[in-house]
Amino acid sequence: MQYNTQKEQLVMPEYGRGVQDMVDVAVTLPTREQRQACAQAIVGVMARIQPEQENQTDYRQKLWNHLARISRYKLDIDYPVEIVPEEEVTAHPKPLHYPMRHIRRRHYGALVENALRYAQTLPESPERSLLVQMVANQMKQDLFVWNRDAMDEALVANDIEQYTDGEVQLDIDNFHFAPVGMPSAQQLSGGKRRKKK
């Protein structure tokens, strides 16, 4: 007995080994007319395997492209649709440019640094105080996610001062941090749960 793991890997497993075997036979047929007739029959079988996609506009084109892929682009027939070239299918996308820059404390991330840098440019005002408070709450949440044991409000205030070269300070004696962590089911529901009778 031969197991599937011992057989050649399928090009498109969603169509199964039966379709793969039919395509392999079609590639070896001697005349173009035989290969063409066999390809038409195989596409009919493929359409029955995935009937839920029949309503798509380019459904038939996809099937013929899949047929070409399953044959590893060796099936020499007159395709009724334009086939995507093998080079285009197998081409790897170009790597995305990711701007690398130094982040002083990775657990806070670049957005916290940018927000504090922006807060430095603002004059002393309620808007600046609100921004610093929002950033402080985010920093405490980041500490909670990164390491709960390191979560300390005095550390957040100290880090804000260091980020802004002492220009912005958070008065933790007069500021109450928002609770951190995942909200409870009661908080999400917006009130107290009703007791079952």
Side-chain angles (χ1 to χ4, degrees):
M1 181 177 184
Q2 191 180 22
Y3 294 100
N4 279 343
T5 53
Q6 296 168 325
K7 295 178 182 177
E8 189 178 356
Q9 190 173 0
L10 296 174
V11 179
M12 296 189 75
E14 56 265 39
Y15 290 108
R17 191 160 299 278
V19 170
Q20 179 74 59
D21 291 343
M22 285 189 281
V23 173
D24 291 343
V25 169
V27 170
T28 61
L29 292 174
T31 66
R32 192 179 195 87
E33 291 77 22
Q34 288 176 322
R35 289 193 299 269
Q36 191 75 39
C38 192
Q40 292 281 357
I42 293 169
V43 167
V45 170
M46 291 166 67
R48 284 194 292 277
I49 289 174
Q50 296 189 349
E52 67 278 357
Q53 296 182 10
E54 198 169 1
N55 296 332
Q56 294 180 358
T57 53
D58 55 350
Y59 177 59
R60 283 283 165 190
Q61 184 165 354
K62 278 185 183 177
L63 288 176
W64 284 101
N65 275 290
H66 289 174
L67 177 66
R69 246 177 98 188
I70 292 170
S71 72
R72 296 172 183 83
Y73 297 90
K74 294 177 185 173
L75 187 58
D76 183 22
I77 59 168
D78 296 320
Y79 287 96
V81 297
E82 189 176 342
I83 299 299
V84 179
E86 183 180 7
E87 300 78 33
E88 195 175 316
V89 172
T90 57
H92 292 287
K94 293 179 182 176
L96 291 173
H97 173 69
Y98 189 77
M100 294 302 291
R101 51 174 264 212
H102 175 70
I103 300 173
R104 283 200 239 177
R105 290 174 180 83
R106 285 188 162 299
H107 50 275
Y108 291 139
L111 293 178
V112 166
E113 285 187 12
N114 293 343
L116 289 173
R117 205 172 296 121
Y118 175 69
Q120 256 181 300
T121 64
L122 296 175
E124 192 68 48
S125 65
E127 181 189 54
R128 175 175 157 171
S129 298
L130 181 62
L131 175 62
V132 171
Q133 290 171 8
M134 290 170 63
V135 171
N137 280 322
Q138 180 59 47
M139 290 169 76
K140 187 175 176 186
Q141 179 72 33
D142 291 340
L143 283 174
F144 173 80
V145 171
W146 177 63
N147 182 359
R148 291 180 191 186
D149 297 333
M151 187 179 63
D152 182 22
E153 295 173 358
L155 175 65
V156 170
N158 186 42
D159 286 344
I160 289 173
E161 194 171 333
Q162 285 185 357
Y163 268 124
T164 59
D165 301 320
E167 290 181 33
V168 177
Q169 277 135 19
L170 181 71
D171 184 10
I172 58 172
D173 295 328
N174 296 322
F175 172 62
H176 298 290
F177 283 88
V180 296
M182 293 297 294
S184 66
Q186 187 175 356
Q187 288 172 325
L188 288 174
S189 65
K192 295 180 180 178
R193 287 187 179 179
R194 293 179 183 174
K195 290 184 179 179
K196 291 183 180 177
K197 294 182 180 180

